[in-house]
Amino acid sequence: MKKAVKIVHEGKYAAEVPVELIEDSGGWSPYLSAADASKLDAVRKALRAGDIAAATKHGRIFELLPVSP
């Protein structure tokens, strides 16, 4: 297994969520475990609801600010 960080973007927030990629000699490698996929879904759902405390249980959360020229 290989460690990686997935970015979840929802509204004005983004999250860095650590996951493990499963490498297989099959055709769809690398892929996520069901637990890591559920973790990403939970973070996305929490960010969408504005529940930052729940999202921080799974990774680092950032607030995105627009930059104008």
Side-chain angles (χ1 to χ4, degrees), residues 35-52:
D36 279 341
S38 295
K39 181 170 40 171
L40 292 173
D41 287 341
V43 169
R44 185 174 292 108
K45 189 179 201 180
L47 291 177
R48 190 175 294 151
D51 188 357
I52 305 306

Side-chain angles (χ1 to χ4, degrees), residues 12 15 17 20 40 53 57:
K12 65 177 186 173
V17 182
E20 290 188 1
L40 292 173
K57 293 177 184 176

Side-chain angles (χ1 to χ4, degrees), residues 7-27:
I7 305 293
V8 176
H9 173 244
E10 196 61 50
K12 65 177 186 173
Y13 298 106
E16 287 183 345
V17 182
V19 296
E20 290 188 1
L21 298 176
I22 300 169
E23 297 191 29
D24 189 6
S25 60

Side-chain angles (χ1 to χ4, degrees), residues 44-67:
R44 185 174 292 108
K45 189 179 201 180
L47 291 177
R48 190 175 294 151
D51 188 357
I52 305 306
T56 58
K57 293 177 184 176
H58 301 289
R60 292 177 34 177
I61 309 302
F62 299 89
E63 183 174 6
L64 304 175
L65 301 173
V67 178

